[in-house]
Amino acid sequence: MKSHSTMIRQLLLLAQYTSLVTGHAIFQQAWAGTTDYGSTCVRMPPNNSPVTDVTSPNMACNAGGSTGVSGTCEVAAGSTFTVEMHQHNSRDCATEAIGGNHFGPVLIYMSKVSDATSSDGASASWFKVDEFGYSSDNKTWGTDLLNANCGKHTFTVPSKLPSGDYLVRAEAIALHAAGSVGGAQFYMSCYQVIVTSATSSGQVPAGVKIPGAYSAEDPGIKVDIYGNGFKEYTIPGPAVIDQSLF
């Protein structure tokens, strides 16, 4: 028979684990301007667990994200697109979008693909169009802004992009346990998007491969955000594309 103290320890561990899972989240809805597409065009992950291996093919579009869905979202080049994150299958703003002190940056990538409903993100070329890391002035993380805006993060689709099929990759990186290799938690979803543009011969920026763009030792991935020396944060991955493309 288990001792009383052993049972208490196990219950405490279970409570801690449950609390952490509750803090996990999924990017699961989208808006084009003021049009609410809901979950029409998202490749929904099977659960809210993070990816922790930066070399995994799941880094592209999450577990199961290599398979497309039937829906797409349409957005005009030069207009806004909003991704929306929540912990559960609910858009209730009373619950934090990503909880449990999951502090970290929010990053947005796009990729021009042949078919948004079937192309595999792991073989795509990704260019970064938006990011928010950490503001030392007011100690605000990208995930803090998600929580303040009911899970929403809005960015501008580059106006110089040619019309066609794209994948939009929304990512939040939780750094609360990132002081050691493998501690960072990556939450991402891919959205299937049709960009409409006045031209079919615009400029597609150079991109990177995901996996491949990150290393487990990158200073924005292996970082102690609670250390006494922490003041500035280096966002991982490539720089946001040149502003002339917006």
PDB file of all heavy atoms in Angstrom, residues 131-149:
ATOM      1  N   GLU A 131       6.601  39.930 -36.191  1.00  0.00           N
ATOM      2  CA  GLU A 131       7.075  39.339 -34.942  1.00  0.00           C
ATOM      3  C   GLU A 131       6.932  40.352 -33.817  1.00  0.00           C
ATOM      4  O   GLU A 131       6.944  41.561 -34.042  1.00  0.00           O
ATOM      5  CB  GLU A 131       8.547  38.907 -35.057  1.00  0.00           C
ATOM      6  CG  GLU A 131       9.509  40.059 -35.306  1.00  0.00           C
ATOM      7  CD  GLU A 131      10.952  39.618 -35.518  1.00  0.00           C
ATOM      8  OE1 GLU A 131      11.187  38.410 -35.699  1.00  0.00           O
ATOM      9  OE2 GLU A 131      11.845  40.497 -35.515  1.00  0.00           O
ATOM     10  N   PHE A 132       6.755  39.843 -32.623  1.00  0.00           N
ATOM     11  CA  PHE A 132       6.862  40.664 -31.417  1.00  0.00           C
ATOM     12  C   PHE A 132       7.521  39.796 -30.365  1.00  0.00           C
ATOM     13  O   PHE A 132       7.008  38.732 -30.010  1.00  0.00           O
ATOM     14  CB  PHE A 132       5.502  41.157 -30.908  1.00  0.00           C
ATOM     15  CG  PHE A 132       5.637  42.170 -29.790  1.00  0.00           C
ATOM     16  CD1 PHE A 132       5.565  43.538 -30.064  1.00  0.00           C
ATOM     17  CD2 PHE A 132       5.868  41.772 -28.480  1.00  0.00           C
ATOM     18  CE1 PHE A 132       5.718  44.481 -29.041  1.00  0.00           C
ATOM     19  CE2 PHE A 132       6.030  42.703 -27.462  1.00  0.00           C
ATOM     20  CZ  PHE A 132       5.947  44.051 -27.743  1.00  0.00           C
ATOM     21  N   GLY A 133       8.678  40.247 -29.885  1.00  0.00           N
ATOM     22  CA  GLY A 133       9.426  39.473 -28.903  1.00  0.00           C
ATOM     23  C   GLY A 133       9.186  39.949 -27.490  1.00  0.00           C
ATOM     24  O   GLY A 133       8.240  39.530 -26.829  1.00  0.00           O
ATOM     25  N   TYR A 134      10.034  40.864 -27.040  1.00  0.00           N
ATOM     26  CA  TYR A 134       9.973  41.339 -25.660  1.00  0.00           C
ATOM     27  C   TYR A 134      10.297  42.817 -25.627  1.00  0.00           C
ATOM     28  O   TYR A 134      11.266  43.277 -26.243  1.00  0.00           O
ATOM     29  CB  TYR A 134      10.978  40.573 -24.807  1.00  0.00           C
ATOM     30  CG  TYR A 134      11.087  41.029 -23.366  1.00  0.00           C
ATOM     31  CD1 TYR A 134      10.073  40.743 -22.454  1.00  0.00           C
ATOM     32  CD2 TYR A 134      12.214  41.726 -22.921  1.00  0.00           C
ATOM     33  CE1 TYR A 134      10.178  41.156 -21.128  1.00  0.00           C
ATOM     34  CE2 TYR A 134      12.319  42.128 -21.595  1.00  0.00           C
ATOM     35  CZ  TYR A 134      11.295  41.847 -20.707  1.00  0.00           C
ATOM     36  OH  TYR A 134      11.396  42.255 -19.402  1.00  0.00           O
ATOM     37  N   SER A 135       9.478  43.596 -24.933  1.00  0.00           N
ATOM     38  CA  SER A 135       9.750  45.011 -24.711  1.00  0.00           C
ATOM     39  C   SER A 135      10.277  45.183 -23.294  1.00  0.00           C
ATOM     40  O   SER A 135       9.545  44.955 -22.319  1.00  0.00           O
ATOM     41  CB  SER A 135       8.478  45.838 -24.904  1.00  0.00           C
ATOM     42  OG  SER A 135       8.704  47.176 -24.492  1.00  0.00           O
ATOM     43  N   SER A 136      11.540  45.568 -23.178  1.00  0.00           N
ATOM     44  CA  SER A 136      12.126  45.759 -21.844  1.00  0.00           C
ATOM     45  C   SER A 136      11.577  47.009 -21.163  1.00  0.00           C
ATOM     46  O   SER A 136      11.657  47.139 -19.942  1.00  0.00           O
ATOM     47  CB  SER A 136      13.654  45.842 -21.945  1.00  0.00           C
ATOM     48  OG  SER A 136      14.033  46.899 -22.815  1.00  0.00           O
ATOM     49  N   ASP A 137      11.011  47.913 -21.943  1.00  0.00           N
ATOM     50  CA  ASP A 137      10.468  49.150 -21.366  1.00  0.00           C
ATOM     51  C   ASP A 137       9.319  48.863 -20.405  1.00  0.00           C
ATOM     52  O   ASP A 137       9.231  49.435 -19.323  1.00  0.00           O
ATOM     53  CB  ASP A 137       9.988  50.092 -22.475  1.00  0.00           C
ATOM     54  CG  ASP A 137      11.124  50.638 -23.311  1.00  0.00           C
ATOM     55  OD1 ASP A 137      12.269  50.633 -22.817  1.00  0.00           O
ATOM     56  OD2 ASP A 137      10.876  51.034 -24.455  1.00  0.00           O
ATOM     57  N   ASN A 138       8.423  47.962 -20.833  1.00  0.00           N
ATOM     58  CA  ASN A 138       7.273  47.646 -19.971  1.00  0.00           C
ATOM     59  C   ASN A 138       7.172  46.159 -19.656  1.00  0.00           C
ATOM     60  O   ASN A 138       6.139  45.687 -19.195  1.00  0.00           O
ATOM     61  CB  ASN A 138       5.969  48.139 -20.602  1.00  0.00           C
ATOM     62  CG  ASN A 138       5.790  47.628 -22.022  1.00  0.00           C
ATOM     63  OD1 ASN A 138       6.474  46.690 -22.445  1.00  0.00           O
ATOM     64  ND2 ASN A 138       4.881  48.241 -22.761  1.00  0.00           N
ATOM     65  N   LYS A 139       8.276  45.424 -19.947  1.00  0.00           N
ATOM     66  CA  LYS A 139       8.356  43.994 -19.632  1.00  0.00           C
ATOM     67  C   LYS A 139       7.166  43.229 -20.223  1.00  0.00           C
ATOM     68  O   LYS A 139       6.516  42.431 -19.549  1.00  0.00           O
ATOM     69  CB  LYS A 139       8.456  43.774 -18.115  1.00  0.00           C
ATOM     70  CG  LYS A 139       9.734  44.339 -17.508  1.00  0.00           C
ATOM     71  CD  LYS A 139       9.810  44.090 -16.016  1.00  0.00           C
ATOM     72  CE  LYS A 139      11.170  44.449 -15.450  1.00  0.00           C
ATOM     73  NZ  LYS A 139      11.602  45.815 -15.752  1.00  0.00           N
ATOM     74  N   THR A 140       6.929  43.452 -21.494  1.00  0.00           N
ATOM     75  CA  THR A 140       5.811  42.827 -22.200  1.00  0.00           C
ATOM     76  C   THR A 140       6.314  41.863 -23.262  1.00  0.00           C
ATOM     77  O   THR A 140       7.190  42.199 -24.061  1.00  0.00           O
ATOM     78  CB  THR A 140       4.938  43.905 -22.874  1.00  0.00           C
ATOM     79  OG1 THR A 140       4.395  44.759 -21.864  1.00  0.00           O
ATOM     80  CG2 THR A 140       3.798  43.278 -23.661  1.00  0.00           C
ATOM     81  N   TRP A 141       5.743  40.665 -23.251  1.00  0.00           N
ATOM     82  CA  TRP A 141       6.043  39.640 -24.246  1.00  0.00           C
ATOM     83  C   TRP A 141       4.958  39.611 -25.322  1.00  0.00           C
ATOM     84  O   TRP A 141       3.839  40.082 -25.109  1.00  0.00           O
ATOM     85  CB  TRP A 141       6.128  38.269 -23.575  1.00  0.00           C
ATOM     86  CG  TRP A 141       7.337  38.046 -22.732  1.00  0.00           C
ATOM     87  CD1 TRP A 141       7.443  38.191 -21.379  1.00  0.00           C
ATOM     88  CD2 TRP A 141       8.627  37.629 -23.184  1.00  0.00           C
ATOM     89  NE1 TRP A 141       8.712  37.894 -20.954  1.00  0.00           N
ATOM     90  CE2 TRP A 141       9.467  37.537 -22.051  1.00  0.00           C
ATOM     91  CE3 TRP A 141       9.159  37.321 -24.439  1.00  0.00           C
ATOM     92  CZ2 TRP A 141      10.795  37.148 -22.123  1.00  0.00           C
ATOM     93  CZ3 TRP A 141      10.491  36.935 -24.529  1.00  0.00           C
ATOM     94  CH2 TRP A 141      11.298  36.854 -23.383  1.00  0.00           C
ATOM     95  N   GLY A 142       5.288  38.993 -26.438  1.00  0.00           N
ATOM     96  CA  GLY A 142       4.293  38.790 -27.474  1.00  0.00           C
ATOM     97  C   GLY A 142       3.078  38.030 -26.967  1.00  0.00           C
ATOM     98  O   GLY A 142       1.930  38.331 -27.332  1.00  0.00           O
ATOM     99  N   THR A 143       3.308  37.036 -26.112  1.00  0.00           N
ATOM    100  CA  THR A 143       2.188  36.267 -25.566  1.00  0.00           C
ATOM    101  C   THR A 143       1.342  37.105 -24.614  1.00  0.00           C
ATOM    102  O   THR A 143       0.146  36.849 -24.464  1.00  0.00           O
ATOM    103  CB  THR A 143       2.693  35.003 -24.852  1.00  0.00           C
ATOM    104  OG1 THR A 143       3.722  35.366 -23.914  1.00  0.00           O
ATOM    105  CG2 THR A 143       3.261  34.003 -25.854  1.00  0.00           C
ATOM    106  N   ASP A 144       1.949  38.104 -23.959  1.00  0.00           N
ATOM    107  CA  ASP A 144       1.165  39.025 -23.129  1.00  0.00           C
ATOM    108  C   ASP A 144       0.153  39.773 -23.994  1.00  0.00           C
ATOM    109  O   ASP A 144      -0.998  39.990 -23.585  1.00  0.00           O
ATOM    110  CB  ASP A 144       2.077  40.036 -22.427  1.00  0.00           C
ATOM    111  CG  ASP A 144       2.930  39.413 -21.337  1.00  0.00           C
ATOM    112  OD1 ASP A 144       2.456  38.487 -20.659  1.00  0.00           O
ATOM    113  OD2 ASP A 144       4.079  39.862 -21.171  1.00  0.00           O
ATOM    114  N   LEU A 145       0.582  40.170 -25.180  1.00  0.00           N
ATOM    115  CA  LEU A 145      -0.317  40.891 -26.084  1.00  0.00           C
ATOM    116  C   LEU A 145      -1.426  39.976 -26.598  1.00  0.00           C
ATOM    117  O   LEU A 145      -2.564  40.420 -26.788  1.00  0.00           O
ATOM    118  CB  LEU A 145       0.477  41.488 -27.244  1.00  0.00           C
ATOM    119  CG  LEU A 145       1.524  42.539 -26.851  1.00  0.00           C
ATOM    120  CD1 LEU A 145       2.237  43.073 -28.088  1.00  0.00           C
ATOM    121  CD2 LEU A 145       0.883  43.679 -26.077  1.00  0.00           C
ATOM    122  N   LEU A 146      -1.107  38.705 -26.834  1.00  0.00           N
ATOM    123  CA  LEU A 146      -2.157  37.747 -27.198  1.00  0.00           C
ATOM    124  C   LEU A 146      -3.225  37.698 -26.110  1.00  0.00           C
ATOM    125  O   LEU A 146      -4.430  37.758 -26.390  1.00  0.00           O
ATOM    126  CB  LEU A 146      -1.571  36.345 -27.400  1.00  0.00           C
ATOM    127  CG  LEU A 146      -0.839  36.032 -28.697  1.00  0.00           C
ATOM    128  CD1 LEU A 146      -0.318  34.606 -28.646  1.00  0.00           C
ATOM    129  CD2 LEU A 146      -1.739  36.210 -29.909  1.00  0.00           C
ATOM    130  N   ASN A 147      -2.788  37.592 -24.867  1.00  0.00           N
ATOM    131  CA  ASN A 147      -3.743  37.508 -23.756  1.00  0.00           C
ATOM    132  C   ASN A 147      -4.553  38.789 -23.602  1.00  0.00           C
ATOM    133  O   ASN A 147      -5.734  38.753 -23.253  1.00  0.00           O
ATOM    134  CB  ASN A 147      -3.000  37.187 -22.454  1.00  0.00           C
ATOM    135  CG  ASN A 147      -2.508  35.754 -22.392  1.00  0.00           C
ATOM    136  OD1 ASN A 147      -3.108  34.869 -22.994  1.00  0.00           O
ATOM    137  ND2 ASN A 147      -1.434  35.512 -21.663  1.00  0.00           N
ATOM    138  N   ALA A 148      -3.928  39.913 -23.881  1.00  0.00           N
ATOM    139  CA  ALA A 148      -4.620  41.200 -23.748  1.00  0.00           C
ATOM    140  C   ALA A 148      -5.628  41.433 -24.865  1.00  0.00           C
ATOM    141  O   ALA A 148      -6.530  42.261 -24.725  1.00  0.00           O
ATOM    142  CB  ALA A 148      -3.606  42.339 -23.719  1.00  0.00           C
ATOM    143  N   ASN A 149      -5.472  40.696 -25.982  1.00  0.00           N
ATOM    144  CA  ASN A 149      -6.319  40.909 -27.159  1.00  0.00           C
ATOM    145  C   ASN A 149      -7.170  39.688 -27.490  1.00  0.00           C
ATOM    146  O   ASN A 149      -7.469  39.438 -28.661  1.00  0.00           O
ATOM    147  CB  ASN A 149      -5.449  41.296 -28.354  1.00  0.00           C
ATOM    148  CG  ASN A 149      -4.847  42.676 -28.214  1.00  0.00           C
ATOM    149  OD1 ASN A 149      -5.540  43.676 -28.310  1.00  0.00           O
ATOM    150  ND2 ASN A 149      -3.541  42.729 -27.955  1.00  0.00           N
TER     151      ASN A 149
END
